Amino acid sequence: MRDTIPNWTPRDDARIETALRRGADRRELLQMLLGGGIGLASGAALLGRADGALAAQPVRGGHLKAAGFSASTADTLDPAKASNITDYVRCCALYNRLTTMDGAGRITMELAESVDSRDAKVWTVTLRKGVTFHDGKSLTAEDVVFSLKRHLDPATGSKVNAITRQIAAVTALDPQTVRITLAAPNADLPTILGLHHFMIVADGTTDFSKGNGTGAFVLKEFKPGVRSVMARNANYWKSGGPFVDSFEFFAISDESARLNAILSGDIHLAANLHPRSMRIMEGNPSVVPFVSKLGTYTGLNLRLDLAPGDKAGVVEGFKYLVNRPVIQKSVLRGLAEIANDHPIPPWDPSFNAELKQREFDPERAKSLFQKAGIFGQDLHIVASEGANNSLDYAAIIQQAAGKIGQSVVIDRVPADGYWSNHWLKDPVHFGTVNPRPTPDILFSLFYQSQAAWNESRYKSPTFDAMLLEARGLLDQGKRKQIYGEMQAMVSNEAGTVIPVFQSNVDAASPKLKGLASNPLGGMMGSAFAEHTWLEA
């Protein structure tokens, strides 16, 4: 089990492991940890975990079975349209990106040998040689051009169209070289290219049913909303993994059933378990809890273009009605950090620590509801097992509202189909947002006026202009200042109520080795299948 140490992140884990690889001795590292405020026992445990990670030797063979928490008939093999962890897991197995992110949050090259720029506006991508797709076709610059341009075509329905619109031109200079020209400078482009949606597909692909990529696995079976089965790519261009012969991935939406599946040995990895399950897992030899502080959050979304969120003061009232400490301590058993209705976590370098934390104030909420003319009406909230912990959050809001005489009705809907039928659509509903590595990506995906995932339909030309300005700055101090102002705008103006950042709890079989943290989310940023192995 990972230690729940305050302010300790996956990047710190990776830093310790890197230092060990470079030859630092345990005494030196322990002194470093003690100097940083980590206790002796916790420091020793951290070093022991790092030693274990380095000592483990991969073993080949076996069939890996893992369960996510969300799936529907809208599941896709098209990376541009991927919208949940089930899609991301498949895409990480079948395809590759130009860049990727390691456990310390550093950008490393994948299909690209290099991504370079002198001015952060014109970028040159040099591709690796000897990479082939599953059908035998060699990777070329034309595949990259096609893959990136797809996101700009409205007909594609890309989930990252809002981010990709900053690309003014993308051109193949020769079979191994691509030039990407941005409308304005953006030093974050190598990070953006490492997002799940920017997987590279073969030039001209219109049929994604075969999952033809350059990835570590080839597709054997795909039944949307049911399961996926994949086998090791015998011609994979990377040396080393994947280590398992095959893997099977499906969703178990009910958290208790997912926990029972890992406890009984039916699966090797269970995604995103509730912190209350820690008491069951601790000390149980059949399961290894894996806790990561990543920046995942479940937010209550009030659409600003629909009642009741379109009335002045209603969103603010809901923000005062959320008892954040109760959610943190009681619902999530302390495995969370208090949030302030914007998506930037406290450990992000751009976090605005000066923004006053919104307090729990039901009486103020009542006053705002009265002024809006909705007090006494039934206020409906759509919640589901599909959105992490949303039923618990809704119950806490309902309880607080009841004490001021306000009726809140929880409309519980099935997890199956939640993301296609309710998320982004219902007037008041929940959404779960996986970690994103930069403020620009978070703001571009969820708050820019035209973003497909703008959960509350927040529209602000000023915000959009600030987003563009910050994106092009190489002065990190000025950039942080602008991002701080944008956090305040989202906190005070958007229709998203973000109470806490949840620690991610995955559960693994003791037989599963190689599991590690990744800033892109649980299950190693959805890429576990390529990097883990089963003990012989």
Side-chain angles (χ1 to χ4, degrees), residues 159-294:
K159 303 301 185 183
V160 290
N161 173 266
I163 291 179
T164 315
R165 282 202 298 268
Q166 66 188 280
I167 296 179
V170 54
T171 309
L173 301 182
D174 61 48
Q176 300 301 126
T177 312
V178 177
R179 175 183 292 157
I180 302 173
T181 303
L182 304 181
N186 187 350
D188 286 340
L189 183 66
T191 302
I192 290 171
L193 295 175
L195 296 180
H196 295 109
H197 301 86
F198 289 102
M199 302 286 178
I200 301 304
V201 300
D203 182 19
T205 300
T206 57
D207 178 7
F208 288 87
S209 63
K210 294 182 175 59
N212 179 38
T214 61
F217 293 88
V218 295
L219 185 68
K220 292 300 181 182
E221 178 185 332
F222 172 52
K223 294 181 179 179
V226 182
R227 71 170 187 166
S228 305
V229 180
M230 304 185 194
R232 179 195 292 132
N233 178 7
N235 299 313
Y236 193 38
W237 59 273
K238 289 185 186 179
S239 60
F243 305 107
V244 296
D245 292 331
S246 58
F247 89 96
E248 181 178 348
F249 192 76
F250 47 90
I252 302 176
S253 59
D254 182 76
E255 197 265 348
S256 297
R258 199 160 61 252
L259 174 61
N260 287 333
I262 189 74
L263 291 173
S264 64
D266 291 337
I267 59 176
H268 299 103
L269 182 62
N272 210 0
L273 294 175
H274 197 287
R276 63 174 168 249
S277 299
M278 290 294 292
R279 290 183 298 181
I280 300 174
M281 291 188 285
E282 288 174 342
N284 191 318
S286 63
V287 64
V288 180
F290 196 85
V291 181
S292 303
K293 188 185 292 186
L294 299 173

Side-chain angles (χ1 to χ4, degrees), residues 52-70:
L54 295 181
Q57 295 297 318
V59 176
R60 291 190 178 276
H63 179 68
L64 171 61
K65 296 179 69 175
F69 59 88
S70 178

Side-chain angles (χ1 to χ4, degrees), residues 469-523:
E469 180 185 2
R471 181 180 293 162
L473 290 173
L474 297 179
D475 183 334
Q476 294 303 314
K478 179 62 175 175
R479 211 178 196 199
K480 179 178 180 179
Q481 178 186 343
I482 295 175
Y483 285 145
E485 294 173 7
M486 295 170 74
Q487 289 167 55
M489 292 176 69
V490 168
S491 180
N492 294 320
E493 300 171 10
T496 48
V497 186
I498 303 173
V500 298
F501 295 100
Q502 309 162 10
S503 294
N504 186 82
V505 181
D506 291 336
S509 162
K511 296 180 180 179
L512 183 68
K513 304 298 182 181
L515 192 66
S517 295
N518 188 282
L520 289 178
M523 294 183 131

Side-chain angles (χ1 to χ4, degrees), residues 25-35 38-40 43-44 47:
D25 60 35
R26 290 176 60 84
R27 181 177 180 181
E28 176 186 347
L29 289 171
L30 196 55
Q31 287 177 340
M32 179 182 71
L33 291 169
L34 292 172
I38 303 299
L40 182 62
L47 294 185

Side-chain angles (χ1 to χ4, degrees), residues 32-219:
M32 179 182 71
L33 291 169
L34 292 172
I38 303 299
L40 182 62
S42 295
L46 288 168
L47 294 185
R49 186 167 71 219
D51 280 340
L54 295 181
Q57 295 297 318
V59 176
R60 291 190 178 276
H63 179 68
L64 171 61
K65 296 179 69 175
F69 59 88
S70 178
S72 77
T73 54
D75 286 353
T76 181
L77 296 177
D78 182 349
K81 298 178 180 179
S83 61
N84 58 47
I85 189 172
T86 308
D87 290 337
Y88 297 157
V89 166
R90 282 190 299 273
C91 289
C92 285
L94 294 169
Y95 307 99
N96 296 116
R97 293 157 275 194
L98 293 171
T99 65
T100 188
M101 184 173 287
D102 67 14
R106 294 182 298 258
I107 290 299
T108 60
M109 298 297 106
E110 193 165 48
L111 291 180
E113 282 189 345
S114 63
V115 180
D116 298 313
S117 177
R118 294 181 178 179
D119 59 4
K121 183 176 181 179
V122 179
W123 295 80
T124 301
V125 179
T126 303
L127 298 178
R128 295 186 186 275
K129 297 178 181 179
V131 177
T132 59
F133 286 88
H134 298 157
D135 64 1
K137 177 191 176 304
S138 294
L139 172 72
T140 70
E142 294 295 342
D143 301 311
V144 175
V145 172
F146 173 77
S147 298
L148 294 181
K149 284 186 173 180
R150 289 188 71 236
H151 298 290
L152 292 167
D153 183 357
T156 300
S158 170
K159 303 301 185 183
V160 290
N161 173 266
I163 291 179
T164 315
R165 282 202 298 268
Q166 66 188 280
I167 296 179
V170 54
T171 309
L173 301 182
D174 61 48
Q176 300 301 126
T177 312
V178 177
R179 175 183 292 157
I180 302 173
T181 303
L182 304 181
N186 187 350
D188 286 340
L189 183 66
T191 302
I192 290 171
L193 295 175
L195 296 180
H196 295 109
H197 301 86
F198 289 102
M199 302 286 178
I200 301 304
V201 300
D203 182 19
T205 300
T206 57
D207 178 7
F208 288 87
S209 63
K210 294 182 175 59
N212 179 38
T214 61
F217 293 88
V218 295
L219 185 68

